[in-house]
């Protein structure tokens, strides 16, 4: 089983760094770690979103952006694949069903695939506000 990491940047290795969580988010979302997800589409959403805060409803596949005018549909994004069994259990912090913080200093991905940010619209619907 793979875990995924989405980014706008190409890296030979994923390295841990201090995450930034917007106000009101749990402190577990701002650890010094490598954040991975078991959900490929969540990784794609994380990679494709524009600068600023985004809200993602994983169940309904809805997404909203603070700065929708900065979304670039032709931008290349990278999805990193990491085999779950490569990471020891004592290095995993389960944040929620969609986020796992890994405290390893670095991880070499098993593979990397490229997509366009606009691929997001095959799976998500952009909304202005939450219903």
């Amino acid at each position: 089983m793979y875990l995924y990491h989405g980014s706008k940047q190409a890296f030979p290795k994923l390295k841990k760094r201090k995450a930034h969580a917007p106000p009101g988010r749990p402190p577990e979302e701002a650890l010094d770690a490598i954040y991975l997800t078991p959900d490929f589409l969540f990784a794609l959403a994380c990679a494709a979103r524009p600068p600023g805060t985004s809200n993602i409803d994983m169940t309904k596949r809805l997404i909203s952006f603070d700065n929708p005018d900065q979304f670039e549909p032709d931008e290349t994004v990278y999805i990193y694949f990491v085999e779950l069994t490569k990471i020891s259990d004592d290095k995993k912090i389960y944040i929620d069903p969609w986020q796992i913080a890994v405290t390893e200093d670095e991880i070499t991905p098993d593979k990397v695939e490229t997509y366009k940010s606009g691929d997001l619209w095959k799976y998500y619907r952009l909304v202005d506000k939450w219903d």
Side-chain angles (χ1 to χ4, degrees), residues 55-57 60-65 120-131:
N55 290 303
I56 303 168
D57 184 319
K60 296 178 183 175
R61 298 290 182 198
L62 301 175
I63 193 166
S64 69
F65 304 135
L120 188 66
W121 305 135
K122 296 175 188 172
Y123 311 102
Y124 285 88
R125 185 168 54 92
L126 182 65
V127 294
D128 289 330
K129 306 235 185 265
W130 295 116
D131 297 339

Side-chain angles (χ1 to χ4, degrees), residues 14-50:
L14 299 173
K15 297 185 180 200
K16 78 175 179 179
R17 64 182 189 131
K18 178 81 171 141
H20 170 74
R25 300 299 301 172
E28 296 84 13
E29 292 187 10
L31 300 174
D32 187 19
I34 300 167
Y35 283 84
L36 302 173
T37 179
D39 189 307
F40 176 87
L41 295 179
F42 183 53
L44 180 62
C46 290
R49 64 187 176 190

Side-chain angles (χ1 to χ4, degrees), residues 5 11 17 22 26 34 36 41 49 52 66 87-88 96 102 113:
H5 178 85
F11 304 110
R17 64 182 189 131
I34 300 167
L36 302 173
L41 295 179
R49 64 187 176 190
D66 277 354
I87 304 164
S88 62
D96 58 35
V102 177
E113 293 181 356

Side-chain angles (χ1 to χ4, degrees), residues 7-8 27-28 30 33 48 52 54 65 69 82 85 95 101 103 105 108 110-112 115-116 118 123 129:
S7 178
K8 292 185 184 302
E28 296 84 13
S54 301
F65 304 135
D69 56 315
V82 177
T85 58
I95 308 300
T103 58
D105 287 335
T108 301
D110 293 291
K111 69 177 178 172
V112 182
Y115 295 86
K116 294 294 183 186
Y123 311 102
K129 306 235 185 265

